[in-house]
Amino acid sequence: MINLILFGPPGSGKGTQATTIVSKFDLTHISTGDLFRYEIGNDTPLGRKAKEYMNKGSLVPDEVNIGMLENKLNNTPNPHGYIFDGFPRTIAQAEALDKMLEGRGTKVTDLIALDVDDEEIVKRLLERGKTSERPDDQNEEVIRKRIVEYNEKTSPVYEYYDKVGVSKKANGIGDLADVFNRIYDILK
Ligand code: AMP
């Protein structure tokens, strides 16, 4: 079983790479950002709450994420495993994920961090914002706030999993196939 955390700052290519990796390894892709956007699209109470934070570039509180992720795991059993994209984003989320997987007799097997510098991220996200209809991709101030949130709250998750020997880095610059091959070399 593979339980891969695809890690890296916003705009590092996690979602795009996840799509290719899931089909290659028969995994289930869980993106908390996509789950929130689905809730927002349906104007649910959870979506309305998440939107307040997302539009400012802030992280949605842990308790909201953890419950949502646990529901998704319960509803999509997959013996081959999962790709977690955009989760965990804090140490508390990482601890909760470990507990959930432990309860299922498994654990995080790999964390791959896509390495992309800040200025490249801002450029990519502003470009994506022209077509993605994501309000958080259309404003440079919000994009920079997301990078600050990543550096302050999310990047420690790399060290957390490094202590148990599963964290690795892959260069996230280059075309899709090149980046995929770097990830594939680590996973296979
Ligand atoms: P993403 O689609 O992964 O870029 O996420 C978009 C936004 O959703 C983030 O900027 C956060 O506001 C929120 N979000 C997604 N996943 C999480 C998470 N695991 N913890 C906190 N906030 C999250």
Side-chain angles (χ1 to χ4, degrees), residues 19-188:
T19 310
T20 318
I21 307 165
V22 286
S23 56
K24 196 95 187 165
F25 292 93
D26 221 350
L27 307 174
T28 296
H29 177 198
I30 302 184
S31 153
T32 40
D34 285 349
L35 293 174
F36 284 134
R37 283 183 286 276
Y38 177 80
E39 298 288 333
I40 291 171
N42 289 313
D43 199 23
T44 64
L46 183 96
R48 285 197 288 273
K49 186 171 169 85
K51 194 175 170 180
E52 282 172 41
Y53 295 92
M54 289 167 80
N55 286 353
K56 287 189 294 197
S58 305
L59 293 188
V60 179
D62 284 339
E63 57 279 12
V64 179
N65 280 281
I66 293 168
M68 185 173 74
L69 190 95
E70 184 141 40
N71 279 338
K72 182 72 185 171
L73 274 181
N74 288 338
N75 294 334
T76 54
N78 183 345
H80 300 287
Y82 298 87
I83 294 188
F84 300 98
D85 160 10
F87 187 96
R89 264 178 157 102
T90 61
I91 297 289
Q93 291 180 21
E95 289 169 348
L97 177 63
D98 286 351
K99 217 179 264 171
M100 281 181 235
L101 293 178
E102 199 185 314
R104 290 166 170 75
T106 183
K107 60 181 181 169
V108 170
T109 55
D110 304 88
L111 178 151
I112 300 180
L114 297 176
D115 215 2
V116 179
D117 64 81
D118 289 0
E119 290 319 304
E120 170 72 15
I121 286 167
V122 173
K123 208 171 77 189
R124 282 188 189 182
L125 288 180
L126 284 172
E127 194 54 37
R128 185 170 82 183
K130 290 182 189 164
T131 52
S132 74
E133 290 176 18
R134 280 182 56 168
D136 58 345
D137 283 348
Q138 288 165 7
N139 176 318
E140 184 165 340
E141 209 178 307
V142 172
I143 291 172
R144 292 201 182 270
K145 167 77 177 164
R146 286 159 67 198
I147 297 173
V148 169
E149 289 280 80
Y150 176 81
N151 289 332
E152 286 179 358
K153 297 176 185 157
T154 306
S155 67
V157 172
Y158 183 91
E159 277 76 44
Y160 174 90
Y161 283 107
D162 200 29
K163 289 199 184 111
V164 290
V166 300
S167 290
K168 301 202 177 64
K169 286 189 180 150
N171 181 355
I173 305 272
D175 67 28
L176 286 183
D178 288 341
V179 178
F180 173 74
N181 286 333
R182 290 173 201 140
I183 297 173
Y184 186 73
D185 282 344
I186 295 174
L187 284 179
K188 72 172 191 245

